[in-house]
Amino acid sequence: MGSELELDEARARFVGLYDRLKDELLQDPVFDLMDEARRYVEEMLDYNIRGGKLNRGFSVIETYKLLKDGQDMSEEEFFLAGVLGWSLEWLQACLLVLDDIMDNSTTRRGQLCWYKLPKVGSRAINDGVFIKGSIHKMVKRYFRDKPYYVDLLELSDEIALQTSFGQMLDLVYSHESERDLSKYNMPAYRRIVQYKTSYYSFYLPIACALLLHGEKPENFTDVKNVLVEMGILFQAQDDFLDCFGDPEVTGKIGTDIEDHKCSWLIVQALERGNDDQLKVLYDNYGKGDPDCITQVKNVYKELDLENAFFEYELSSFAELLSSIEDLPNPAVQEVLKSFLRKIYGRKK
């Protein structure tokens, strides 16, 4: 997008849009909010939407800038891209609020999960629904007269549904009463990640920028396929870092083993392990006992999954790069290469 200074300035401008969009929502006459309700909604939005990395939201602006191929963005273009970016951060907040309840999580972004606050509890379910519904108000306010308005709404709803389906698959596979490693394989893993992560974290920001730039949704298929594969690589990296990453760098302690997650590592171990190693995995995976976790990690080390992952990452990078270079639009190629460069070899 230019120099680091320009990037920092653009990010600061993007962050600055949040208060305006929040205030417009709070003042919308459709809600007729009393003072107490307004204070609650404002605190709920701030608590759950602020504090993230903003990667998805800011990606809309970065992508749109790349699509303009060096031309400056007008104030209106930046603002509209920023609104779409914040709509993705709103969606992310909705998903996290609800996911934390389903996963019985305790902390998120260094603070208690919203539902864990004594004054919130199960009200968080409705808060998540409210956040999702407010996205439509935001998009309607600024895009109703745009030729791609219906495409935006359909895109948002479709991907929200796909992401919910991915969460459902994840819960079905990892639910305590149905835990069964025999169900864990690469097709199952790819399906979970495709729906839970790839569509909304990788495809949605790019698709929003493409629509804003005047591209037609029917031309997005090849781009979507590349971004789905990129999302799968990204999740495999997360799974690897959950086990082998440095908590001082990643900022979190991994729990995939005790949570019985269908991760890239367990799928690889099940495919590569001998009978004795498989028995260790079946006996210990999904248990919180530190000794059980250690035994699973020992099998990972015996199978040299660390090097196996690095080989997978390298081959995935090469395949993705080849697929990107097959696309006809040079500007779109640069967008996807930019995304790929950001995630390749990441440590957190």
Side-chain angles (χ1 to χ4, degrees), residues 188-286:
Y189 176 77
R190 287 179 56 85
R191 190 168 177 80
I192 293 171
V193 175
Q194 174 180 345
Y195 282 93
K196 187 177 180 181
T197 301
S198 290
Y199 285 134
Y200 96 96
S201 292
F202 283 81
Y203 173 60
L204 183 55
I206 305 300
C208 284
L210 287 169
L211 286 174
L212 188 61
H213 192 251
E215 307 292 338
K216 300 299 183 184
E218 55 266 26
N219 298 330
F220 295 178
T221 301
D222 290 339
V223 174
K224 179 193 288 187
N225 292 338
V226 169
L227 289 165
V228 164
E229 292 301 321
M230 206 179 296
I232 291 171
L233 170 59
F234 183 88
Q235 185 59 54
Q237 291 172 323
D238 260 8
D239 297 345
F240 173 79
L241 293 172
D242 184 272
C243 180
F244 292 104
D246 180 356
E248 293 294 323
V249 176
T250 64
K252 59 184 179 181
I253 297 173
T255 60
D256 282 358
I257 292 174
E258 52 262 53
D259 291 343
H260 206 272
K261 288 295 184 180
C262 181
S263 77
W264 187 90
L265 292 170
I266 189 61
V267 168
Q268 293 297 316
L270 291 169
E271 289 181 355
R272 299 162 184 257
N274 59 35
D275 289 344
D276 290 339
Q277 291 166 329
L278 292 178
K279 185 178 188 311
V280 172
L281 295 176
Y282 272 84
D283 289 346
N284 294 280
Y285 199 74

Side-chain angles (χ1 to χ4, degrees), residues 5-54:
L5 179 59
E6 290 175 331
L7 196 64
D8 289 343
E9 290 175 347
R11 182 176 285 270
R13 288 174 64 194
F14 174 63
V15 171
L17 293 177
Y18 169 79
D19 284 328
R20 171 178 171 175
L21 297 174
K22 179 187 69 174
D23 290 344
E24 287 173 345
L25 179 64
L26 292 173
Q27 294 166 15
D28 194 308
V30 75
F31 296 124
D32 191 24
L33 291 170
M34 305 299 286
D35 287 345
E36 184 178 357
R38 180 176 283 104
R39 285 194 295 270
Y40 178 84
V41 171
E42 182 170 16
E43 180 185 359
M44 181 267 291
L45 294 174
D46 287 347
Y47 196 95
N48 293 295
I49 297 173
R50 280 180 161 163
K53 299 174 184 176
L54 305 183

Side-chain angles (χ1 to χ4, degrees), residues 304-346:
D304 197 18
L305 291 190
E306 192 166 3
N307 279 323
F309 170 77
F310 292 139
E311 292 174 3
Y312 161 77
E313 186 179 40
L314 183 61
S315 64
S316 293
F317 176 84
E319 290 171 7
L320 281 165
L321 191 59
S322 176
S323 297
I324 291 169
E325 291 177 344
D326 285 340
L327 296 174
N329 188 323
V332 172
Q333 284 188 30
E334 184 53 39
V335 167
L336 298 181
K337 286 179 181 179
S338 173
F339 263 54
L340 186 58
R341 285 193 294 267
K342 286 180 181 178
I343 70 169
Y344 181 67
R346 68 188 182 93

Side-chain angles (χ1 to χ4, degrees), residues 14-298:
F14 174 63
V15 171
L17 293 177
Y18 169 79
D19 284 328
R20 171 178 171 175
L21 297 174
K22 179 187 69 174
D23 290 344
E24 287 173 345
L25 179 64
L26 292 173
Q27 294 166 15
D28 194 308
V30 75
F31 296 124
D32 191 24
L33 291 170
M34 305 299 286
D35 287 345
E36 184 178 357
R38 180 176 283 104
R39 285 194 295 270
Y40 178 84
V41 171
E42 182 170 16
E43 180 185 359
M44 181 267 291
L45 294 174
D46 287 347
Y47 196 95
N48 293 295
I49 297 173
R50 280 180 161 163
K53 299 174 184 176
L54 305 183
N55 289 338
R56 294 169 184 82
F58 193 61
S59 290
V60 180
I61 292 176
E62 289 184 290
T63 300
Y64 188 75
K65 175 63 175 175
L66 288 170
L67 289 172
K68 286 183 67 66
D69 197 22
Q71 298 179 30
D72 290 335
M73 294 173 66
S74 68
E75 286 294 323
E76 181 184 12
E77 288 173 326
F78 187 95
F79 178 75
L80 292 177
V83 172
L84 290 181
W86 276 112
S87 77
L88 303 194
E89 295 299 326
W90 249 256
L91 176 60
Q92 165 80 338
C94 161
L95 295 172
L96 295 184
V97 166
L98 299 178
D99 283 2
D100 286 342
I101 298 170
M102 289 181 276
D103 294 342
N104 197 30
S105 300
T106 302
T107 59
R108 169 73 66 180
R109 296 172 176 169
Q111 59 187 2
L112 278 176
C113 295
W114 178 244
Y115 83 99
K116 282 289 187 180
L117 299 185
K119 67 177 180 181
V120 180
S122 61
R123 291 167 64 176
I125 299 172
N126 189 65
D127 293 338
V129 175
F130 178 89
I131 294 172
K132 173 62 171 67
S134 67
I135 296 171
H136 284 282
K137 297 292 295 182
M138 189 188 308
V139 173
K140 181 178 179 181
R141 180 177 291 114
Y142 291 107
F143 295 94
R144 190 175 186 179
D145 63 342
K146 305 297 183 186
Y148 49 84
Y149 175 61
V150 173
D151 292 325
L152 273 177
L153 293 183
E154 290 182 347
L155 176 70
S156 174
D157 285 344
E158 179 182 6
I159 290 184
L161 179 61
Q162 290 170 327
T163 306
S164 298
F165 177 65
Q167 172 70 356
M168 181 181 70
L169 288 177
D170 191 27
L171 292 170
V172 166
Y173 275 88
S174 62
H175 195 278
E176 287 189 19
S177 64
E178 301 175 6
R179 288 181 171 178
D180 179 7
L181 284 181
S182 67
K183 298 185 296 185
Y184 287 8
N185 52 53
M186 191 51 65
Y189 176 77
R190 287 179 56 85
R191 190 168 177 80
I192 293 171
V193 175
Q194 174 180 345
Y195 282 93
K196 187 177 180 181
T197 301
S198 290
Y199 285 134
Y200 96 96
S201 292
F202 283 81
Y203 173 60
L204 183 55
I206 305 300
C208 284
L210 287 169
L211 286 174
L212 188 61
H213 192 251
E215 307 292 338
K216 300 299 183 184
E218 55 266 26
N219 298 330
F220 295 178
T221 301
D222 290 339
V223 174
K224 179 193 288 187
N225 292 338
V226 169
L227 289 165
V228 164
E229 292 301 321
M230 206 179 296
I232 291 171
L233 170 59
F234 183 88
Q235 185 59 54
Q237 291 172 323
D238 260 8
D239 297 345
F240 173 79
L241 293 172
D242 184 272
C243 180
F244 292 104
D246 180 356
E248 293 294 323
V249 176
T250 64
K252 59 184 179 181
I253 297 173
T255 60
D256 282 358
I257 292 174
E258 52 262 53
D259 291 343
H260 206 272
K261 288 295 184 180
C262 181
S263 77
W264 187 90
L265 292 170
I266 189 61
V267 168
Q268 293 297 316
L270 291 169
E271 289 181 355
R272 299 162 184 257
N274 59 35
D275 289 344
D276 290 339
Q277 291 166 329
L278 292 178
K279 185 178 188 311
V280 172
L281 295 176
Y282 272 84
D283 289 346
N284 294 280
Y285 199 74
K287 296 179 180 178
D289 186 327
D291 182 61
C292 295
I293 296 170
T294 297
Q295 291 197 56
V296 172
K297 288 186 176 182
N298 286 340

